[in-house]
Each structure stands twice: as structure tokens, then as C-alpha cells.
Amino acid sequence: MAGKVKREKWSENFSEWYNELIETAGIQDKRYPVKGMNIWLPYGLKIMRNIERFIHSEMERTGHEEVLFPALIPETEFQKEAEHIAGFEGEVFWVTHAGHDPLDVRLILRPTSETAMYSMFSLWIRSHADLPFKVYQIVNVYRYETKHTRPLIRVREISRFFEAHTAHDSYEDAERQIKEDLEIFDNLARFLAIPYIVSKRPDWDKFPGAYYSLGAEVMMPDGRTLQIGTMHNYRQNFAKAYNIQYETESGDHEYVHQTTFGMSERLLAAVMAIHGDDSGLVLPPTIAPIQVVIVPIPKKDAEADVFAYAREIAEELRNAGIRVHVDERDIRPGRKYYDWELKGVPLRIEVGPRDVDGKKAVLARRDTLTKEVIDRAELVDAVRRTFDEIMENLYNRAREFLESHIKRVDTIEEAKEVFEDRRGIVEIAWCGEESCGLEMEEILDAKMLGTPYPDEEARAPEGKKCPVCGREAKFIARFARTY
Ligand SMILES: Nc1ncnc2c1ncn2[C@@H]1O[C@H](COS(=O)(=O)NC(=O)[C@@H](N)CS)[C@@H](O)[C@H]1O
Ligand SMILES: [Zn+2]
């Protein structure tokens, strides 16, 4: 079926498709005997490591230093910032004993590392010369999620949790950091060929202890959104609670302004969901553990040595820095195609006796399931060109899907129809009052993602009225069913 991409199961029964693929594609094993905690399998971990390698390079590029903090936090440290405690105390795992002895100070397993880091920031940050202070870590954190858990998407051990924590001498410099985080996120989204939108969370749904929170959302095949990144401006909230001060150039002392930026293995869930099809994963070449798989197709009466030819091609690609694998298993080619399509290998090269004689190779793309015959001599260029075409196609296909799922409406009725029909994101006028926002969440049985970011895009067009109270609408608000 060259060229015929099928996405029925992917769109009609996404949840089942996703859960099956987590196992059949070798991403994770869900049979670990603790709810919400799964095992990374080799192939899934290799993909995650390729994603993380890009994050580390962006951290390096923007002057963030990598640190590694303990996973256990004493209750005394956890109890310092009121809003943060209120937001997390129902979500933390406690350690109360060591061996037979009860601990005199109970410990929590970090749900995120503000309360682990910030007493140390107070010791480390002394003068304005120490600012901006920028650290990050990629660690496992623990949250007692009570909603339905789902591999990579909603887990109780978030095992690849990326958290960047920064300190600044002013609100303006903290704002500059948020802009840098958005730039890093945009680079990463491009690297994953994933389009997204950014919303400023409503006050009632911002990160506990934050002054404001931004959320980056993607559109999943079932029309629900998945938050795959967050940036928070804390202003001086945590600095006051943890006494993080610096000496200014004029010699007096000021509290620092802080930000954080968080992501997790949800990035991999988004890649799987957004680019996949009924045959399985479709991996962007940027993160595929195997970018090209070569399948030799021997014919019994032909003497051309397809295996030697395949190995020669592999060698040339490897020398060009391409991650390649030759599948020499003694099984039918069709079985091989099935396996590698399931694992989302972006490009397959088929070589039969005729290709050896004619010095050709057949390139079979995973994303479009189309084939192209190329001359052996132009192999490396053809492969690199095809990778670019795949990235472009994956991104455009995903952006079309996202854009076709964002609908600006005038009435609550229209909004309800969107959610009944195919879900997606609804944009509707809002007066800005919390009570009206919460009422719209209630009526639509959807979450308010917030207002478009940056703020300039958040304003309602002239003359629009809030659909709940009828007052002048100040903002455009976004609602969606979410993960
Ligand atoms: N239960 C979970 N499973 C998987 N990923 C999660 C889970 N909870 C949150 N995340 C991801 O982790 C990111 C950061 O989490 S957060 O709560 O929004 N923000 C923080 O914890 C801040 N301290 C920034 S590090 C979120 O954007 C989301 O993509
Ligand atoms: Zn209103």
C-alpha cells in the first residue's frame, strides 16, 4: 500500500492505540508493582536520551549549569512557602521510617525541587555578581496523582523531570529569562516537529507559589490538549520564604526574583501521539535511535551479494554520522517492514539483486509510506534530503491538525458544539472575573487553559461581551478538555 497512510485506530481509539504502542514499540513496561511507576525499556529510553541530549545542549547554550540535588526533603524545608505547601501537601509521598526507627523529622520525596534547592540558594547567592543564577537538573520526582494515571502522560514517578531554576536581580531580568525559556522550548518543539500554543494560566490554576504561570500545550489525536512545558515567574515569593538575598552594587540587600521551567517524559508521549499512525510510531529523524534501517532482499537464483552491498551502504551512512542498522535476520522482508514501521524508523532502504547490479537503492519513507529509487552515488545526500522532507512533512501535518482544532466562537452554545463534535480548543470572550471563568469551565465541562500569550494577543476585540455576565469582555479565554 505504498503512499497509503492509515490513521483510523489512531484517531478513533487513541487511548487503546497509545497503551498498546507503549508496549509493542518497546517504550516502557507497565507491569511494575507500584501504581503510576513504569520501567523504561531500552528503545524507549534511547529515544528519551536523544530528546534530553538536545535539552542539555540548549542548557549549555543559555548558560544554565547542571546540578543534582537529593530526592529527599525534610518536612521543615517543605513547610516554608505557604501557597506551595497548600498546592502540594496532598500530592507528596512521605518517608517516615528508616530501618526500624521512626524518623524524628519526616521527609518527603521531591514533587519538584524548589523546597530542596532554595535554602542552598540562600547560601550560594550573596552578591549581584552571582546573578543571574541559572541551574537545572533532569531527575525523578514523585507526585501522588489521584486522577487516572497513564504511561509518560500522568505518572506518580515522573522519572525524566526537567526542572530549571533561576534567580535574578529584578523582575525585568526574570521576564527576560521567561522569554529565553520560550525560545528554548520553541527550539525543542522544532526539533521534535511539534506545533504548540502558549497560554497564561488563570490565577486559580497557576503553579503553587508562582506570580504567573505559562503552559505550552499540544493537541492530541482525540482532541484533548496535553501540557508539555511550563514556565513560572515566582517574583520574590520564594526568596522571602527562603531568605535568598543579594548585596546590590550600592551595598544594600535585596530579595532575588526567581523563575522555573519544567518539562518531562510527556514530550515523548506528545511525539508518539502526534506523529504516529496505525502502523505504529513515526519518529522524527532528529530523535530516532535508528534513523535508517537497511533490508537486504536476497533472491535464490541471483548471485548478487545483497548482504555485502547492504553492509557497504551502512558503512558509508555510518561514516556520515547517520544512525543505521542492517536487518540480516532470516525472516521474510514483509515481517521486517512490519517491525521497523512499528518502531517508527524514519527511513528504510531496500536492496535486492537488481539494485546491486544497477547500483541503486530504494528509499522507503515511514511518514508517507512512499518509495523512491536513488543512485547509489548520491545516497548520503538523498538520505539527508529525505530527513529534511520528513521533518517538514511531520511538522506541517501536525500544525494543520492543531490549527483545525482551534475554534473562536461567540456563544457558549457554539463552544459546547465544538466539544461535542471533535473537542479541540475553544476561544471565547471573557470579562476576566474568576467567577465567570469558573462558570464557563463548569458549563463546558472543560478546563480554562488561560489567555493567549504574549499579553498583547490576549485582548478581546472591541465590543465583545462576557457570555456569562454580559459585561465588557477584556480577554480572549481558551478552554479545552485536557490530559
Ligand atoms: N504526573 C505527571 N506525569 C508526567 N508529567 C508531568 C506530571 N505532572 C507534571 N508533569 C510535567 O511536568 C511539567 C512541570 O511540572 S509543573 O508542575 O508544571 N511545574 C513545576 O513543577 C515547576 N517547579 C517547574 S519545574 C509540566 O509542564 C508537565 O509537562
Ligand atoms: Zn463575566
Side-chain angles (χ1 to χ4, degrees):
M1 260 195 298
K4 181 82 188 69
V5 173
K6 276 174 61 244
R7 295 184 114 181
E8 277 80 25
K9 192 136 188 263
W10 172 88
S11 58
E12 294 320 309
N13 198 337
F14 169 68
S15 187
E16 188 186 312
W17 174 92
Y18 178 80
N19 282 320
E20 226 170 85
L21 202 49
I22 284 280
E23 314 230 338
T24 56
I27 307 296
Q28 285 196 338
D29 192 324
K30 299 176 285 192
R31 291 172 294 181
Y32 193 71
V34 177
K35 180 177 161 62
M37 302 190 187
N38 304 310
I39 302 144
W40 282 96
L41 295 174
Y43 190 66
L45 191 53
K46 282 190 181 82
I47 307 170
M48 194 66 217
R49 291 291 190 226
N50 287 338
I51 295 174
E52 289 169 12
R53 189 171 310 115
F54 186 83
I55 294 173
H56 285 295
S57 68
E58 279 294 280
M59 287 292 106
E60 179 87 28
R61 177 181 71 81
T62 54
H64 288 77
E65 294 286 359
E66 186 177 11
V67 293
L68 199 45
F69 270 74
L72 292 175
I73 302 169
E75 183 171 13
T76 44
E77 284 305 309
F78 177 62
Q79 303 287 1
K80 282 185 177 171
E81 207 285 322
E83 273 187 38
H84 191 70
I85 305 162
F88 273 105
E89 64 185 349
E91 279 198 37
V92 291
F93 284 91
W94 291 93
V95 174
T96 58
H97 283 70
H100 303 291
D101 312 333
L103 293 173
D104 47 1
V105 176
R106 296 191 309 168
L107 306 171
I108 64 161
L109 277 174
R110 62 186 167 208
T112 172
S113 298
E114 282 76 0
T115 59
M117 291 182 171
Y118 294 172
S119 289
M120 299 313 297
F121 278 25
S122 177
L123 301 177
W124 292 344
I125 296 169
R126 316 303 301 170
S127 106
H128 59 86
D130 300 321
L131 301 177
F133 183 81
K134 302 163 71 164
V135 295
Y136 78 102
Q137 60 182 11
I138 301 181
V139 292
N140 45 0
V141 299
Y142 298 84
R143 297 187 184 188
Y144 181 53
E145 295 281 359
T146 45
K147 277 171 73 176
H148 181 61
T149 56
R150 201 186 296 265
L152 305 180
I153 289 174
R154 184 170 294 280
V155 287
R156 289 185 168 178
E157 178 188 52
I158 310 169
S159 55
R160 306 312 302 146
F161 186 75
F162 160 79
E163 49 178 329
H165 295 255
T166 67
H168 306 269
D169 65 0
S170 64
Y171 179 76
E172 290 66 32
D173 200 50
E175 284 292 277
R176 187 197 50 70
Q177 183 58 53
I178 296 284
K179 296 231 173 342
E180 182 179 87
D181 295 344
L182 287 162
E183 187 191 292
I184 292 165
F185 184 84
D186 194 56
N187 292 339
L188 176 60
R190 274 275 165 203
F191 185 70
L192 302 175
I194 285 184
Y196 61 96
I197 57 165
V198 177
S199 308
K200 183 180 252 187
R201 292 287 183 258
D203 269 356
W204 64 85
D205 187 38
K206 64 188 179 187
F207 182 77
Y211 169 60
Y212 73 73
S213 289
L214 302 180
E217 250 92 24
V218 295
M219 183 51 66
M220 300 287 270
D222 58 357
R224 294 166 65 186
T225 59
L226 177 67
Q227 168 191 286
I228 58 168
T230 34
M231 300 89 183
H232 311 281
N233 186 323
Y234 291 166
R235 272 204 314 198
Q236 297 170 313
N237 299 351
F238 282 93
K240 287 175 181 159
Y242 287 83
N243 190 31
I244 311 171
Q245 300 193 45
Y246 71 99
E247 186 177 336
T248 66
E249 281 167 295
S250 50
D252 48 38
H253 283 79
E254 286 281 329
Y255 289 110
V256 299
H257 283 254
Q258 292 174 269
T259 80
T260 59
F261 172 18
M263 298 186 282
S264 78
E265 51 261 45
R266 277 187 184 176
L267 291 164
L268 175 53
V271 167
M272 288 175 63
I274 291 165
H275 299 316
D277 64 19
D278 286 355
S279 303
L281 293 182
V282 179
L283 292 178
T286 45
I287 59 168
I290 298 173
Q291 293 170 305
V292 176
V293 62
I294 304 177
V295 176
I297 308 169
K299 291 236 179 343
K300 44 188 174 306
D301 50 3
E303 72 284 350
D305 185 347
V306 291
F307 288 95
Y309 189 64
R311 287 182 210 121
E312 188 193 298
I313 287 178
E315 195 52 30
E316 184 178 355
L317 291 174
R318 214 168 273 132
N319 293 338
I322 290 164
R323 300 187 288 271
V324 56
H325 171 71
V326 184
D327 186 346
E328 305 205 20
R329 290 177 297 171
D330 184 14
I331 56 175
R332 281 181 307 98
R335 215 5 257 289
K336 298 183 181 184
Y337 299 169
Y338 176 87
D339 289 352
W340 299 114
E341 283 175 1
L342 178 61
K343 284 191 176 297
V345 174
L347 196 52
R348 180 177 74 230
I349 296 183
E350 303 165 7
V351 286
R354 265 179 308 116
D355 302 304
V356 180
D357 300 338
K359 294 221 171 312
K360 302 278 185 194
V362 180
L363 266 58
R365 278 176 56 167
R366 175 65 186 85
D367 59 325
T368 56
L369 298 178
T370 52
K371 293 190 177 185
E372 180 192 359
V373 181
I374 56 121
D375 288 333
R376 167 88 182 73
E378 51 140 354
L379 180 78
V380 172
D381 293 347
V383 166
R384 287 209 178 108
R385 169 178 48 78
T386 309
F387 284 168
D388 294 344
E389 286 164 12
I390 292 170
M391 288 301 283
E392 201 58 33
N393 175 50
L394 291 180
Y395 181 78
N396 291 338
R397 186 170 70 176
R399 198 187 47 203
E400 226 168 275
F401 187 83
L402 170 63
E403 285 174 357
S404 68
H405 281 77
I406 301 177
K407 199 157 184 317
R408 188 156 294 197
V409 298
D410 283 323
T411 68
I412 293 267
E413 287 321 308
E414 278 179 272
K416 277 184 176 171
E417 276 158 32
V418 171
F419 289 127
E420 263 127 46
D421 165 31
R422 54 200 312 224
R423 300 204 189 109
I425 295 164
V426 154
E427 294 188 339
I428 190 165
W430 175 42
C431 63
E433 287 303 313
E434 180 165 330
S435 55
C436 293
L438 290 172
E439 190 163 333
M440 281 199 264
E441 286 190 334
E442 190 70 26
I443 298 170
L444 299 176
D445 183 22
K447 226 168 82 102
M448 185 192 282
L449 301 180
T451 52
Y453 181 86
D455 291 345
E456 302 74 63
E457 293 174 30
R459 262 191 291 284
E462 277 305 304
K464 288 281 177 196
K465 300 274 180 262
C466 173
V468 174
C469 68
R471 276 197 296 257
E472 185 67 20
K474 288 204 203 90
F475 304 105
I476 289 295
R478 285 169 173 159
F479 292 85
R481 301 278 164 76
T482 65
Y483 272 90

